[in-house]
Amino acid sequence: GENVEQHPSTLSVQEGDSAVIKCTYSDSASNYFPWYKQELGKRPQLIIDIRSNVGEKKDQRIAVTLNKTAKHFSLHITETQPEDSAVYFCAATGSARQLTFGSGTQLTVLP
Amino acid sequence: DAGITQSPRHKVTETGTPVTLRCHQTENHRYMYWYRQDPGHGLRLIHYSYGVKDTDKGEVSDGYSVSRSKTEDFLLTLESATSSQTSVYFCATTGGEAGANVLTFGAGSRLTVL
């Protein structure tokens, strides 16, 4: 099955700086790569996703890049704000609609 | 959020007792999932369902069973709870306007096994 590794496990940045979280996946058949944000005590919520026929996708301060050859994808957050502090999860899926999640990154934006 | 309701939201039980968690959705989504969340492990799939009476195992299915007798309800049962099953359990669905692959989660059920 799919295996997703996520780094770093914790990340602290100064407000206004950029944050980058990286994930690798093992199954070359995977074709959908979402990112979820989970605030403390809340449910995970989708913030951005990318499909394997696209190399990059942006939504305001958030962008995701995908390198299919290397089997890795990354989340980029620019101009970080305190409300960006949360746990971020990457995930990957191929068939059968079974998402496999990374272990999560605790992002802390320092004022 | 896709009208997903989980119950109970919090439960404390003793080792060896049976526990059932319920997930109810009002969106008529075909696919439903149970995940558990533990520190350092992210979200791990326990079981999923692709239709009424159609279920399959996920990554961490040992010690768990599921049932889906109606489209809207997906039950997760721990036949004999163990301390290792202390976790936060999330139900999720896919489908609808969000897209075929987009998981929408319920609010979670925190289970403590003493």
Side-chain angles (χ1 to χ4, degrees):
Chain A
E2 178 65 275
N3 181 49
V4 177
E5 295 194 357
Q6 181 172 347
H7 300 281
S9 56
T10 61
L11 177 62
S12 294
V13 298
Q14 291 293 137
E15 183 176 355
D17 287 350
S18 296
V20 180
I21 302 170
K22 299 182 179 182
C23 290
T24 60
Y25 62 98
S26 61
D27 188 352
S28 57
S30 286
N31 56 12
Y32 175 66
F33 308 91
W35 286 88
Y36 283 79
K37 175 184 180 181
Q38 186 178 29
E39 297 176 351
L40 188 62
K42 302 288 182 64
R43 73 193 76 190
Q45 294 196 301
L46 179 74
I47 55 171
I48 195 167
D49 56 13
I50 192 168
R51 298 186 186 274
S52 58
N53 58 347
V54 176
E56 182 176 0
K57 184 177 179 181
K58 294 180 80 170
D59 182 4
Q60 299 183 352
R61 298 185 296 108
I62 294 174
V64 58
T65 58
L66 171 65
N67 183 326
K68 285 180 59 180
T69 302
K71 289 191 280 188
H72 67 70
F73 56 113
S74 301
L75 178 71
H76 304 252
I77 305 174
T78 59
E79 301 172 19
T80 53
Q81 302 168 3
E83 53 264 39
D84 294 329
S85 294
V87 178
Y88 291 81
F89 293 99
C90 63
T93 190
S95 60
R97 299 197 188 197
Q98 294 183 54
L99 271 178
T100 300
F101 285 83
S103 55
T105 297
Q106 173 69 62
L107 173 65
T108 302
V109 179
L110 304 168
Chain B
D1 290 312
I4 303 171
T5 304
Q6 292 185 228
S7 60
R9 293 289 316 280
H10 300 272
K11 185 172 182 66
V12 180
T13 191
E14 293 189 351
T15 297
T17 61
V19 176
T20 295
L21 305 180
R22 180 180 183 241
C23 179
H24 178 80
Q25 57 121 343
T26 59
E27 299 296 316
N28 201 37
H29 288 171
R30 178 182 172 191
Y31 283 77
M32 298 185 74
Y33 306 80
W34 278 107
Y35 283 87
R36 61 178 288 174
Q37 184 175 30
D38 306 288
H41 291 278
L43 293 142
R44 293 180 292 174
L45 181 64
I46 306 171
H47 282 279
Y48 69 101
S49 170
Y50 47 96
V52 173
K53 298 192 189 316
D54 293 323
T55 65
D56 205 349
K57 296 178 180 179
E59 176 188 1
V60 289
S61 60
D62 288 348
Y64 302 94
S65 62
V66 291
S67 65
R68 190 161 178 207
S69 58
K70 298 185 291 185
T71 298
E72 56 266 36
D73 290 328
F74 192 31
L75 303 181
L76 177 70
T77 297
L78 292 65
E79 300 291 346
S80 178
T82 67
S83 59
S84 64
Q85 294 176 311
T86 293
S87 187
V88 179
Y89 292 86
F90 284 98
C91 175
T93 71
T94 55
E97 291 184 3
N101 289 97
V102 177
L103 271 178
T104 304
F105 288 90
S109 295
R110 181 175 296 276
L111 175 66
T112 301
V113 184
L114 301 175

